[in-house]
Amino acid sequence: MALADDQRGRLRQAKLAGLVRGHVGPLDDGEGGVPGGFPGGATLRDGDRGWVLIDDGVGPRSVGGALLWGSRSGITDLGVIVETTDGVLLADLARRASWFEPRPAVFRVAGTSLETVTPSDPPEVRPAPPDIGGLVDLLLDADLEVVVEHGIVRGEVLGLEVARIVTTPTGSEMDVEPGGPLLEVGVGKFDRVTAAMMYAHLPTAGALGAVIEEVRRHRYPGAPPHPVRDLCRERWLRHAVIADPAVLGLRSLSAVETTVERDSLREFHPAVALGTDETGRSSLVACTYGVDIDLLPMAADARAVHATDAALVIVAPEVLPDAIRQLAERLPGEVRFAKIAAPWS
């Protein structure tokens, strides 16, 4: 039988308490700490010390909620316990947590004990594949924004991907040399498959034009509600500030990648850009929409990759919650928030 949510919550709290006591010994309050609920886990507080257990839905975006809880609770000594056997993921989560002060500790569960996880080094930026000039020209001729992220070249309409340049896999039946570049068109991976079937009778430029026309029918400022209009609004926001960096007091901006590849067009995922102000100082701009609890860990991680001494500018079309602003105070260096008009309005 499936456990009820309250039963599962109590079991997680008991598990967390046992792990913590086994690691640090008796707690200072003499009562075993104050337990609490947490999505996919549990919390335990002992004065200004606190621990978060995450054992459900662990992924690249699993550390933000724990950091927000610690900040809201006034925790200065935070431990984040992640239940996964994926050592690479653990080290990456530890790195994203490490940018905050006081520095949280990330632990893996080893039987009934805890082991401290060493943060990984920031990843290197992956360049675009070679010998793709002709396909890039095709994107530019179609008046698309060309963005390179994680080694993938994308063509976008107001921040929404409508085409990408990929490497043809070995064994492909397509009339392209294995390992050579290929232009796929469509919005998202499932739409790219559909577009390949729908426009198989058209040359590449014709298929691309058909997809762009359909997207532009629904994605423009003031457009009525439609899924195409509403997808990837944070990337639309990035498009707007790149087109007019002066709105942020900057001289120039260009799109750069985060350290996490987006799995879905519908998931929260900050869109970042790197630029300079009139004095030549670097700024890492992170555009967001809605409430993204992993916004700051991902933005700080991107800053560590692209320009460690850059000012971090968080851009949104609305005032972000106080909890996110309070957590930002735990990041070193300059962090500021900018509210700009929604470009889709």
Side-chain angles (χ1 to χ4, degrees):
M1 293 179 62
L3 292 174
D5 289 342
D6 59 341
Q7 292 176 304
R8 187 179 295 109
R10 287 194 296 271
L11 287 173
R12 285 170 172 159
Q13 289 170 359
K15 177 180 179 180
L16 175 57
L19 289 169
V20 170
R21 284 196 299 269
H23 186 70
V24 303
L27 301 184
D28 294 339
D29 68 357
E31 300 293 334
V34 180
F38 189 82
T43 65
L44 183 66
R45 179 175 179 175
D46 181 43
D48 59 4
R49 296 191 299 174
W51 298 266
V52 179
L53 170 67
I54 304 169
D55 72 350
D56 186 31
V58 176
R61 300 171 53 84
S62 290
V63 76
L67 294 171
L68 285 170
W69 173 82
S71 176
R72 286 197 309 263
S73 303
I75 301 299
T76 57
D77 184 0
L78 176 65
V80 183
I81 302 167
V82 185
E83 182 74 272
T84 180
T85 58
D86 188 336
V88 174
L89 174 59
L90 279 166
D92 287 349
L93 291 175
R95 185 189 69 243
R96 292 186 197 107
S98 72
W99 308 127
F100 294 82
E101 299 174 350
R103 182 172 175 171
V106 175
F107 300 96
R108 62 162 51 88
V109 180
T112 59
S113 62
L114 299 178
E115 295 179 352
T116 304
V117 177
T118 301
S120 59
D121 294 328
E124 295 183 358
V125 175
R126 285 152 50 187
D131 303 324
I132 59 171
L135 293 179
V136 171
D137 288 342
L138 192 62
L139 300 179
L140 294 172
D141 290 344
D143 198 26
L144 296 177
E145 307 115 43
V146 177
V147 177
V148 182
E149 294 173 331
H150 307 290
I152 298 172
V153 180
R154 296 174 169 88
E156 298 183 346
V157 173
L158 298 177
L160 182 63
E161 178 186 333
V162 297
R164 63 168 53 185
I165 299 172
V166 300
T167 300
T168 310
T170 302
S172 171
E173 297 180 358
M174 295 183 177
D175 188 22
V176 179
E177 181 182 352
L182 174 71
L183 184 68
E184 292 184 342
V185 301
V187 179
K189 55 187 175 183
F190 298 113
D191 190 49
R192 288 194 294 273
V193 173
T194 303
M197 295 184 292
M198 288 180 60
Y199 305 123
H201 63 290
L202 296 177
T204 301
L208 179 61
V211 172
I212 293 172
E213 180 181 3
E214 180 64 20
V215 168
R216 291 195 188 280
R217 283 201 313 118
H218 302 289
R219 194 173 179 88
Y220 60 87
H226 189 276
V228 169
R229 183 202 69 174
D230 297 333
L231 285 170
C232 302
R233 286 191 165 186
E234 66 284 348
R235 296 179 75 89
W236 193 340
L237 205 61
R238 179 175 69 177
H239 164 81
V241 296
I242 287 176
D244 183 17
V247 72
L248 300 177
L250 300 177
R251 181 175 58 192
S252 63
L253 270 176
S254 58
V256 293
E257 64 192 43
T258 65
T259 58
V260 179
E261 291 192 53
R262 173 188 231 125
D263 285 332
S264 166
L265 296 180
R266 296 185 180 277
E267 73 178 8
F268 285 117
H269 200 102
V272 297
L274 183 64
T276 58
D277 61 18
E278 294 299 330
T279 69
R281 187 190 178 194
S282 296
S283 291
L284 193 288
V285 173
C287 299
T288 189
Y289 174 75
V291 179
D292 181 358
I293 62 175
D294 272 274
L295 164 66
L296 292 177
M298 292 185 65
D301 213 29
R303 178 169 64 174
V305 169
H306 299 290
T308 56
D309 60 346
L312 183 57
V313 185
I314 308 298
V315 180
E318 66 276 317
V319 176
L320 294 180
D322 289 342
I324 291 178
R325 291 173 170 267
Q326 291 167 3
L327 180 59
E329 296 174 1
R330 299 195 174 194
L331 285 171
E334 180 184 352
V335 181
R336 61 186 177 92
F337 291 79
K339 178 179 178 293
I340 68 169
W344 47 84
S345 297

